[in-house]
Amino acid sequence: MKRRQLLRHAIALPAALPGLASSRALAAIQGGPRVAFGIAAQTRQLLTDPGFRDAVVRECDILTPELEMKWGFVEENQGSANLAPADQMSNFARRFGKRMHGHALIWHKSTPDWAASQMMTNPDWRIIDAFIQRIVPRYAGVVESWDVVNEPFADNGRPDGLRVSPFLTAFGPDYIRRAFERARSLAPTAKLYLNDYGFLYDDSESEARRTAALRLLEALKKHSVPVDGLGIQGHVDLERTGTFRQETFARFLKSVADMGCAIRISEFDVREHETAIPVEQRDALVADATAAVLDVAADCPALVSVTCWGLSDRYSWLPLPSETAGLNRGLPLDSDLRQKPMYRALMKALRR
Ligand code: XIL
């Protein structure tokens, strides 16, 4: 992708919403955020929690369904089609002028049991094809980008760093090409992403994952497989921030961008461990970790958006070590929907 195309992708903001005093709108007046801001949410949260829904409408440009487009959710039993929640979210997005990111077509953890066992015993690409065909065209007008393959890397002893999943066992590494080509044929204008975690830290585990990702992207590009970019999940772990080095991460981002790939930070949040310290201190640690990662990302011209895996701690998927410790405070708004230092660190990075 050319730099100009990347920028166009980045600045296609939704129409302003009349009557909403949006801090995003304010930012736009003040020179405009360069990078779009997204969040993952569940339809149920949007439909049953008006305060949360208003915060989503006010704050975000792009919505990602946390569950509702996953294969196991849509087709728990072969032939079933639980699409109402995804339909409701896409209607919500249309109504409020939000862009949508589809998540995720191929993911070992969201593969229904029946499909995983069929792949292991009697591999038939048609079951995967049927799911992609069911979901991709249905949301063509509103989903502008897809995670086509999610979490393909793992330390499973393979030199290519690929995860030994039912997809790999059944179809070999070629499942990746097939999925991207099918998605492209059904969504000619959507941006198609490879998405994974574990690229952040300056240790041998992250280094191996970065190398595997760069090699795979290079091979896909070489064979003209229609991959538009890399989603870097960006789940930050406060226990590991000591091994985060901005130079290492920046170098990785540059290598991805140099291949003509767009970059999304796709599932940003911060996992806490220490809860026996004052809340202000916890929030400062979360904000510092956010700034450390996102300032580097925002300096990369290939970055098109940052999505947090949730907007408010109220619905964080991250557990704390003890149930009595309350909620993990690793999202931009607290459980009362108040902006935290993390929110300000995030917005500052997006406007860099
Ligand atoms: C998670 C959801 O947040 C949970 O509610 C669900 O139980 C499991 O999936 N990487 C991904 C996301 O790509 O789809 C995951 O979402 C979080 C890790």
Side-chain angles (χ1 to χ4, degrees), residues 58-314:
R58 191 168 60 238
E59 300 295 352
C60 91
D61 307 315
I62 307 173
L63 257 180
T64 301
E66 187 178 342
L67 311 170
E68 291 81 352
M69 291 186 185
K70 290 171 175 169
W71 192 4
F73 186 95
V74 171
E75 198 178 0
E76 194 180 348
N77 303 304
Q78 189 162 19
S80 64
N82 178 26
L83 287 160
D87 287 355
Q88 285 166 318
M89 191 180 291
S90 62
N91 290 339
F92 175 92
R94 283 200 183 86
R95 172 162 169 228
F96 290 104
K98 304 297 175 194
R99 299 147 60 186
M100 274 189 96
H101 176 74
H103 173 82
L105 299 178
I106 302 263
W107 186 33
H108 63 289
K109 281 199 181 153
S110 66
T111 305
D113 291 344
W114 63 266
S117 67
Q118 270 189 43
M119 274 188 261
M120 302 307 280
T121 51
N122 180 24
D124 186 344
W125 182 259
R126 281 176 300 184
I127 58 169
I128 298 164
D129 201 70
F131 172 63
I132 299 180
Q133 209 170 338
R134 167 171 278 159
I135 195 136
V136 170
R138 189 176 182 93
Y139 302 107
V142 59
V143 169
E144 62 166 26
S145 52
W146 279 99
D147 288 330
V148 176
V149 178
N150 191 31
E151 301 186 353
F153 304 111
D155 184 8
N156 288 158
R158 290 174 54 96
D160 58 11
L162 288 180
R163 177 186 297 280
V164 179
S165 67
F167 301 95
L168 189 97
T169 307
F171 307 105
D174 197 42
Y175 82 87
I176 298 174
R177 175 193 65 80
R178 291 175 89 166
F180 274 96
E181 289 186 350
R182 191 64 182 120
R184 168 61 74 238
S185 73
L186 294 162
T189 59
K191 304 292 173 199
L192 305 181
Y193 284 84
L194 191 76
N195 193 56
D196 214 326
Y197 63 90
F199 299 131
L200 295 179
Y201 300 107
D202 197 32
D203 55 23
S204 56
E205 186 191 335
S206 293
E207 186 59 26
R209 297 178 65 87
R210 286 189 290 268
T211 304
L214 292 174
R215 286 209 186 120
L216 178 62
L217 286 171
E218 198 177 27
L220 294 174
K221 287 281 181 195
K222 191 169 149 211
H223 293 100
S224 304
V225 176
V227 55
D228 294 304
L230 180 68
I232 295 172
Q233 291 187 2
H235 296 292
V236 171
D237 188 331
L238 284 186
E239 234 171 31
R240 296 178 74 191
T241 45
T243 61
F244 177 76
R245 273 186 66 234
Q246 291 191 315
E247 300 73 23
T248 307
F249 188 47
R251 205 177 318 122
F252 175 62
L253 297 176
K254 183 171 184 313
S255 304
V256 175
D258 285 350
M259 278 192 260
C261 289
I263 294 170
R264 311 176 70 242
I265 302 291
S266 55
E267 303 186 15
F268 194 84
D269 55 14
V270 182
R271 183 187 283 262
E272 294 183 280
H273 296 272
E274 180 57 85
T275 53
I277 52 174
V279 86
E280 295 74 22
Q281 214 173 319
R282 288 172 61 185
D283 288 352
L285 288 171
V286 167
D288 288 350
T290 299
V293 174
L294 294 186
D295 284 354
V296 178
D299 281 345
C300 176
L303 182 76
V304 294
S305 60
V306 174
T307 280
C308 286
W309 206 245
L311 177 63
S312 155
D313 297 334
R314 187 180 287 187

Side-chain angles (χ1 to χ4, degrees), residues 1-12 34 191 257 260-262 301-304:
M1 201 186 296
K2 300 266 158 37
R3 193 186 151 84
R4 209 170 344 113
Q5 283 172 296
L6 284 171
L7 287 175
R8 208 177 314 126
H9 188 40
I11 58 178
R34 188 197 68 142
K191 304 292 173 199
C261 289
L303 182 76
V304 294

Side-chain angles (χ1 to χ4, degrees), residues 16-37:
L17 291 169
L20 280 169
S22 156
S23 47
R24 300 288 297 161
L26 199 64
I29 295 162
Q30 291 166 346
R34 188 197 68 142
V35 171
F37 175 54

